[in-house]
Amino acid sequence: MSGPALHLAVEIDGDGAHPAAWRRAAHAPDQLLAPRRAAGLAAVAENAGFTLVTLDDGVLPPGAAPDPVGRIGAVERAAFVAASTSTVGIAPVVPVTYAEPFHVSSQLASLDHISAGRAGWVVTEEEHPGAARVWGRPPVADAAGRARESGDGVEVARALWDSWEDDAVIRSVATSRYLDRDRLHYVDFTGETYAVKGPAIVPRPPQGQLVVLGRPDRVPAAQLDVALVEGRDPASVAAAAARAGTPRAFAEVEVALDTPDATGTERVAHLERYAPWADRGRLRYVGSAAGLVAVLDELSRQVDGVRLHPLVLDEDLPVLSRLVLPALSERRLTARPLPGTSLRSALGLERPANRFAAAAVQEETR
């Protein structure tokens, strides 16, 4: 674990974790796809002291009739959010089951430049066969195949982020050179289903490597900075975190809090009349803000952070901001990200050396 501070992340896609959350949303339906919706939620999270916001995504619509479906791409929303925030980390969900890792790495590197080093990447999978048809690709039907694509995709992205050394851009007026070509490198990756030569088309990200989050059973632990671990109770979460083998571990926690208008139990019951809140194997808390503070206090001894999935963002996020995060701060369980720091710094992660530059130094010292 990184220290006494419990890092808090919150998922801000759509209207909330429940598929019928839109029925309790405080905004007009046409605002769901407005970019300022995401920016407004991110601003609330930043002002509250969250370390990170995540933005879910997938190539297929996020639901089915009769519920409203649709979303703007997570990377596009993240770029918009990055321009209107200053301290909170921003991590879009980007599956690489079918997407080209070269393009994904370029998009994420650009996001890190836009955010001045506050970008992360949540790696997930495209499990529905319809996603393959959208991409015009053969379906990857088995779990092992999807895990292979995720692992290869992260490996390629990381190599491409290093394909420019930190001082590759020289901007020499005297020699009329913008780049030092000797500081650009081919990655020469050959996987089971594709090959990538490189180098990247975007300079190395400010963080060197973006913070990569994902499930350690889907992405090799060596490729992750933060493992997203699940479990229906704190003991199960603790066991999963101990097995993760990653620098940091975040627990996935779904929350439905008591509000001034209704209890968490009442709110869940109301939405269950329209659709079930699927059990995804995560710890789920329903109740008062004080009770959630106690749960997070317990989890702080087992994990480095928690990613919260609120039942309804418009109802739960204000309670989190007004009652939960201040109480955690009073107990000195959380630390607000400081202006001018990168996401890696906020999480206590070192900026990694460039693999190609490090290899050159080792060769010179032999």
Side-chain angles (χ1 to χ4, degrees), residues 19-351:
W22 66 274
R23 295 180 180 274
R24 299 186 66 92
H27 62 84
D30 63 345
Q31 293 301 305
L32 177 61
L33 299 183
R36 294 197 178 278
R37 163 72 177 170
L41 292 170
V44 172
E46 179 173 72
N47 292 335
F50 279 94
T51 302
L52 177 67
V53 296
T54 63
L55 294 152
D56 200 4
D57 203 0
V59 72
L60 298 176
D67 296 322
V69 296
R71 57 160 63 105
I72 301 172
V75 175
E76 291 79 5
R77 282 180 289 159
F80 189 85
V81 165
S84 60
T85 55
S86 59
T87 60
V88 71
I90 307 155
V93 169
V94 187
V96 283
T97 308
Y98 303 107
E100 295 286 354
F102 186 92
H103 300 315
V104 169
S105 72
S106 299
Q107 291 176 320
L108 293 171
S110 298
L111 176 63
D112 205 42
H113 283 284
I114 294 168
S115 65
R118 292 181 288 123
W121 174 19
V122 181
V123 184
T124 59
E125 300 176 352
E126 297 277 18
E127 298 184 10
H128 196 284
R133 293 194 294 271
V134 172
W135 284 101
R137 301 283 181 85
V140 182
D142 61 299
R146 292 193 298 272
R148 178 199 64 224
E149 295 296 332
S150 294
D152 285 355
V154 177
E155 182 178 348
V156 168
R158 286 193 178 278
L160 287 168
W161 293 333
D162 276 348
S163 65
W164 291 50
E165 294 184 31
D166 289 319
D167 52 358
V169 180
I170 55 176
R171 298 185 179 93
S172 173
V173 176
T175 62
S176 299
R177 290 191 305 158
Y178 179 74
L179 296 174
D180 182 346
R181 61 185 301 173
D182 293 333
R183 290 184 170 88
L184 269 64
H185 304 276
Y186 294 114
V187 301
D188 291 327
F189 171 85
T190 300
E192 201 171 312
T193 58
Y194 58 84
V196 177
K197 193 168 186 65
I201 58 174
V202 179
R204 195 175 192 226
Q207 295 182 97
Q209 297 272 321
L210 276 72
V211 176
V212 181
L213 306 91
R215 289 178 49 174
D217 60 337
R218 305 287 180 87
V219 182
Q223 297 284 16
L224 294 175
D225 297 296
V226 179
L228 299 175
V229 298
E230 299 177 343
R232 292 184 176 87
D233 54 68
S236 300
V237 169
R243 294 192 303 266
T246 53
R248 301 287 180 266
F250 276 33
E252 299 274 41
V253 179
E254 299 170 340
V255 295
L257 298 173
D258 296 345
T259 69
D261 299 321
T263 66
T265 301
E266 291 169 342
R267 295 167 54 231
V268 172
H270 172 235
L271 295 180
E272 292 288 285
R273 290 158 45 191
Y274 304 101
W277 192 6
D279 183 353
R280 302 182 63 177
R282 296 170 175 167
L283 192 157
R284 181 176 293 177
Y285 174 81
V286 180
S288 68
L292 177 60
V293 170
V295 171
L296 296 178
D297 189 346
E298 181 178 359
L299 287 174
S300 70
R301 304 179 184 91
Q302 313 296 339
V303 295
D304 303 285
V306 172
R307 181 165 70 144
L308 299 174
H309 299 261
L311 179 79
V312 180
L313 282 165
D314 288 341
E315 294 181 325
D316 292 286
L317 191 54
V319 178
L320 289 168
S321 302
R322 190 176 67 254
L323 299 178
V324 176
L325 270 76
L328 293 171
S329 180
E330 288 178 5
R331 297 188 184 195
R332 299 186 179 181
L333 292 175
T334 59
R336 180 182 292 270
L338 298 175
T341 60
S342 69
L343 179 57
R344 297 191 73 88
S345 296
L347 296 176
L349 298 169
E350 294 184 359
R351 187 180 189 274

